[in-house]
Amino acid sequence: MRIIKMGRIRNITCNNTFKKSKKNLDKIYIFSSSPIRQFHSKNQNDYFETSITNNNRNKLIHAKNKSLRSSSFCIPPIKNVNIMNTNNIYNFSSNTNININTKPSTNINTNVNTNPSTNTITNGYTNTNSNTNPNTNPNTNENNLYLKNYDSIKKYINGINNEESVIMKLLKEKTYDCIQKTKEKLKSLVNTYPNTPVSVCTTTDIIGGLRNVITLLTDTSYLEAGKGILFRGKTVSQVIKEFPKWDDSCEYPVAESMLWYLLTKEVPSIDDIKLLSKELYYRGKEIPSFVFEFIDNIPTYTHPMSQLISTVSYLESFSLFKLKYFEGISKADYWKYILEDAISLIAHINVIAAYIYKRTFINNNIKKGEGMNLDINLDWSSNFAKLIGYDDKCIQDMLRLYFLLHSDHEGGNASAHASHLIGSTLANPYLSFAGCAIALSGPLHGLANQECLKFLLNVKKHLGDSPLTYEFIEKYAKDFLSTGKVIPGYGHAVLRIPDPRFVAFRDFALNHFPNDPIVKILEMCYKVIPQILSNNKKIKNPYPNVDCYSGALLYHYGLKYPEYYTVMFAISRSIGVMSQLVLNRGLMFPLERPKSIDINYLNSVCEQNDGKSESVKK
Ligand code: NMX
Ligand code: MLT
């Protein structure tokens, strides 16, 4: 173990001066009993003073320069009146002309006109005082209110980048290694087999949703029809067994370890994961107040997924990748800034999601991020549990399992594919993730967990006080199918077995609360429904998928709002799709742009290629 004295910390924390090999990085510990005031903002100091004087021998967690770290606090909150207020709709496009400017330009009208009828829109601009001078051309950069306002938040965005923690540095190094190794393999494959066909696409595939047509390369995980998901080769059971646990009292591993593993291909040590959790903690706790105020203005009848998507889209203003891209960075460096955004997004999403939960289901009156206090001593999942009001160990473990297992399901599922496509245009990670969440919010995909719990609750309701029997479930399911609906939680586009994620959730439920009434219904459905679905020959997979059981776990612990469940799927999926995005940019995958054809062309290709399985027309 390498011991670094306090006097050398400055060197560790500074990007430019710290040049350690990755081997050494693994072994840097700090031993000291003196406070480290100069490195951290007030709360961070408190943490360090406590932990280090307690001689806990923590690794150096964060070494962000105080002034840069605190730059987020320089930005006064956006006034509610300027965001999504229907009375001020015309001011929306220029809402950042308010106090966000550290030095507001004098020609910007900060008084929001509450009467929209007096505002007119010219060339897409709100007609404010700034444009009333007839000699001013509103289309020049000088008068581009958006750009001026964007300039004013650059300081905040750059603050994210100026100092790098040891753990981020290590994560980048290991991710870089993984990218390089993958690049080498790809290079050799392309050199050796440049024109070898990999997949055939038939007419049925083209009009049938491209099932089984191989078009994407995703190294983070691979779905085998008869085996289930393999996270970089590891089955669900292996992940549960081999990934690090927060402490001895935990039944399941830390969910953040999946992020590390997908990015680096290495199972992390618990020490590194604790540092990563703290990185997430620091970023999560610095969500600026105007983000909460943005959420405060979303009507509470808005579906939680929609609230999440809007908020994540709004956060794109703070994308470091976007800023750097437009400043002009090398293509080879894209992935680093994507990784920075990815970590921020993952840190922010569980706070934002928890806030959405609280304001939508618990108390419509909470404002300004009230109650969103993260705990530095908790992992990402337990912090989420805390924010939504739970500190029970069982719930923390259930959430770890939940977030681990929903994280990644190769690249072809609708949400990952949407994110992949958007990312390939070099739109920033926040927007890629918003696209992922939009795809996830469809009932054939992630929203199936909401529908599945509703299905089970309806079974319970219709059952009333009657005894639960196989006959009852069978009749209920058949009646349900006869209305033309799909039974949520069953079937899969790729899998041909019960989803191993379903199996893991089922195990959890049977171990912890086998007598729960919803679990009893689920168990009976599991015996009856696959049989019923098998009778319909066109259904390729009659078995339960991930969404079948997940809601029952949440419901058991008091999360009784099915409309929220897909948000939790999205929280977890951020780990997988953000890892995919970082690696995609590291591998420099180009813009994705599949070819579409019209029906005449399809007809002519079919006539020409009929009977030929090789040398199909390109
Ligand atoms: N209940 C009734 N019908 C079904 C079901 C089901 N659970 N699953 C498939 N079918 C139907 C399907 O609608 C299709 O009918 P049609 O030809 O009339 O359009 C037919 O069976 C053939 O579908 P498959 O080829 O077996 O499945 P496909 O790959 O098209 O779709 C799903 C996969 C997952 C969309 C489909 O099984 C389904 O709708 N399941 C219910 C919804 C669900 O649980 N989705 C969550 C999937 C997991 N996730 O998180 O994303
Ligand atoms: C997923 O986890 O994304 C779903 O199982 C859907 C899929 O893989 O197509």
Side-chain angles (χ1 to χ4, degrees):
M1 180 158 59
R2 191 174 155 79
I3 301 172
I4 301 221
K5 297 246 166 65
M6 292 315 300
R8 294 181 59 196
I9 290 180
R10 202 181 278 277
N11 293 342
I12 303 174
T13 65
C14 176
N15 254 345
N16 300 333
T17 48
F18 183 52
K19 305 236 184 313
K20 284 271 164 275
S21 77
K22 57 182 184 309
K23 256 192 200 155
N24 286 342
L25 263 170
D26 275 327
K27 299 200 167 76
I28 293 168
Y29 286 77
I30 295 177
F31 286 37
S32 171
S33 54
S34 54
I36 320 170
R37 291 225 160 71
Q38 63 274 38
F39 297 107
H40 303 280
S41 61
K42 173 80 181 73
N43 294 341
Q44 290 162 332
N45 274 342
D46 290 348
Y47 167 67
F48 269 90
E49 284 173 26
T50 326
S51 59
I52 293 171
T53 50
N54 284 348
N55 215 4
N56 283 344
R57 302 182 175 186
N58 287 309
K59 277 186 183 180
L60 175 63
I61 299 159
H62 234 261
K64 308 226 171 190
N65 176 298
K66 183 181 173 186
S67 60
L68 291 163
R69 263 286 170 193
S70 57
S71 64
S72 60
F73 305 114
C74 299
I75 306 172
I78 292 177
K79 288 173 187 157
N80 290 350
V81 73
N82 291 296
I83 312 169
M84 292 186 74
N85 179 334
T86 46
N87 288 332
N88 297 307
I89 200 99
Y90 291 99
N91 290 302
F92 183 69
S93 63
S94 56
N95 73 61
T96 48
N97 67 0
I98 16 116
N99 291 330
I100 203 164
N101 291 287
T102 39
K103 185 171 174 264
S105 67
T106 46
N107 64 347
I108 294 174
N109 182 7
T110 52
N111 293 325
V112 175
N113 190 336
T114 48
N115 180 0
S117 59
T118 60
N119 278 337
T120 51
I121 304 219
T122 321
N123 296 328
Y125 288 88
T126 307
N127 194 357
T128 61
N129 288 355
S130 58
N131 292 337
T132 49
N133 180 350
N135 298 324
T136 312
N137 176 358
N139 290 322
T140 61
N141 246 5
E142 230 172 73
N143 290 292
N144 185 328
L145 283 178
Y146 163 69
L147 288 181
K148 276 186 185 169
N149 291 318
Y150 184 58
D151 270 352
S152 70
I153 62 161
K154 279 185 183 167
K155 191 176 164 201
Y156 165 73
I157 304 169
N158 272 318
I160 304 164
N161 187 41
N162 277 300
E163 290 273 329
E164 189 178 57
S165 67
V166 170
I167 199 64
M168 281 302 290
K169 190 167 176 59
L170 181 60
L171 181 60
K172 279 182 194 164
E173 285 189 5
K174 287 183 179 286
T175 303
Y176 181 72
D177 274 0
C178 178
I179 291 170
Q180 287 310 106
K181 284 181 190 142
T182 315
K183 244 187 200 166
E184 286 307 311
K185 272 196 205 159
L186 263 181
K187 210 163 118 190
S188 135
L189 269 170
V190 173
N191 284 340
T192 320
Y193 310 104
N195 299 311
T196 308
V198 175
S199 189
V200 173
C201 183
T202 65
T203 313
T204 312
D205 294 329
I206 291 176
I207 59 170
L210 298 173
R211 296 290 180 284
N212 298 318
V213 180
I214 301 169
T215 53
L216 296 163
L217 186 75
T218 310
D219 236 14
T220 52
S221 63
Y222 169 63
L223 184 57
E224 265 189 34
K227 208 166 182 180
I229 192 66
L230 297 171
F231 299 100
R232 289 198 179 276
K234 288 193 193 297
T235 61
V236 165
S237 316
Q238 284 171 318
V239 163
I240 292 173
K241 208 166 144 213
E242 294 171 23
F243 278 20
K245 299 193 174 73
W246 191 256
D247 59 40
D248 291 345
S249 70
C250 297
E251 204 182 332
Y252 291 97
V254 188
E256 299 85 301
S257 36
M258 182 62 90
L259 174 67
W260 188 282
Y261 177 65
L262 296 183
L263 283 169
T264 66
K265 218 175 170 171
E266 285 178 19
V267 175
S269 70
I270 188 60
D271 286 345
D272 286 338
I273 281 309
K274 289 198 168 179
L275 292 182
L276 182 63
S277 303
K278 290 192 166 77
E279 180 76 32
L280 296 173
Y281 160 84
Y282 280 119
R283 293 188 189 216
K285 99 180 182 21
E286 287 184 2
I287 297 178
S289 59
F290 50 75
V291 174
F292 293 113
E293 289 174 21
F294 176 85
I295 303 173
D296 290 342
N297 283 279
I298 303 176
T300 43
Y301 55 73
T302 311
H303 191 280
M305 273 304 273
S306 208
Q307 296 189 44
L308 183 78
I309 292 159
S310 313
T311 310
V312 172
S313 306
Y314 169 61
L315 285 177
E316 78 88 32
S317 308
F318 309 103
S319 165
L320 184 62
F321 170 71
K322 174 173 135 176
L323 181 80
K324 293 290 165 194
Y325 180 84
F326 290 108
E327 277 176 7
I329 47 166
S330 155
K331 196 174 177 175
D333 289 336
Y334 290 171
W335 69 271
K336 291 181 204 160
Y337 298 105
I338 302 258
L339 179 56
E340 284 289 348
D341 279 352
I343 299 291
S344 296
L345 189 148
I346 292 167
H348 292 172
I349 194 170
N350 67 353
V351 182
I352 287 165
Y355 191 58
I356 291 171
Y357 175 79
K358 279 290 193 75
R359 71 184 297 267
T360 310
F361 299 103
I362 309 298
N363 177 1
N364 285 167
N365 296 319
I366 61 164
K367 298 270 178 245
K368 299 187 176 188
E370 191 187 320
M372 294 298 108
N373 305 315
L374 293 166
D375 181 339
I376 192 163
N377 294 311
L378 297 177
D379 62 324
W380 189 65
S381 311
S382 310
N383 255 319
F384 175 76
K386 176 181 185 285
L387 296 184
I388 60 168
Y390 294 93
D391 59 5
D392 182 278
K393 285 242 166 225
C394 251
I395 298 175
Q396 293 175 349
D397 253 331
M398 182 272 289
L399 287 172
R400 288 185 188 110
L401 179 68
Y402 191 102
F403 291 148
L404 264 177
L405 296 192
H406 285 84
S407 58
D408 207 38
H409 219 232
E410 69 165 43
N413 67 74
S415 48
H417 188 191
S419 157
H420 175 96
L421 173 70
I422 297 168
S424 85
T425 71
L426 302 186
N428 66 62
Y430 294 94
L431 294 179
S432 292
F433 183 75
C436 157
I438 289 170
L440 201 60
S441 63
L444 294 188
H445 192 14
L447 202 82
N449 58 10
Q450 163 185 311
E451 295 307 290
C452 196
L453 207 275
K454 283 189 192 163
F455 177 89
L456 297 168
L457 291 177
N458 276 330
V459 170
K460 192 165 176 280
K461 189 172 150 198
H462 280 82
L463 185 68
D465 293 331
S466 316
L468 181 63
T469 60
Y470 289 115
E471 291 71 31
F472 177 84
I473 300 282
E474 190 175 339
K475 181 169 176 343
Y476 188 88
K478 283 183 174 166
D479 288 349
F480 189 87
L481 282 170
S482 70
T483 62
K485 290 182 274 198
V486 294
I487 298 193
Y490 289 82
H492 201 275
V494 180
L495 283 169
R496 297 296 176 255
I497 49 161
D499 190 332
R501 300 170 297 175
F502 158 87
V503 175
F505 290 142
R506 178 170 181 251
D507 286 350
F508 187 99
L510 295 180
N511 282 337
H512 291 89
F513 40 85
N515 295 322
D516 178 287
I518 296 291
V519 167
K520 291 211 174 267
I521 295 174
L522 264 168
E523 285 300 305
M524 223 169 241
C525 287
Y526 183 33
K527 299 214 167 69
V528 172
I529 291 177
Q531 188 55 49
I532 297 172
L533 294 178
S534 301
N535 293 336
N536 180 347
K537 293 297 165 223
K538 71 179 180 182
I539 300 180
K540 296 188 195 69
N541 181 44
Y543 301 112
N545 59 53
V546 66
D547 298 314
C548 184
Y549 231 102
S550 58
L553 306 192
L554 303 177
Y555 196 82
H556 175 82
Y557 286 116
L559 274 131
K560 305 225 171 203
Y561 314 102
E563 299 77 12
Y564 188 69
Y565 294 173
T566 315
V567 171
M568 298 194 53
F569 194 151
I571 295 175
S572 168
R573 186 67 31 123
S574 67
I575 289 180
V577 299
M578 286 297 109
S579 305
Q580 292 186 16
L581 204 68
V582 172
L583 300 176
N584 290 346
R585 293 293 76 73
L587 295 168
M588 296 191 198
F589 286 162
L591 175 78
E592 183 180 290
R593 204 305 188 184
K595 182 78 186 87
S596 86
I597 52 177
D598 63 17
I599 194 148
N600 292 330
Y601 192 93
L602 178 62
N603 190 49
S604 75
V605 181
C606 287
E607 283 173 4
Q608 195 176 323
N609 290 341
D610 191 30
K612 299 179 199 164
S613 56
E614 283 159 28
S615 70
V616 287
K617 181 176 171 181
K618 292 240 166 116

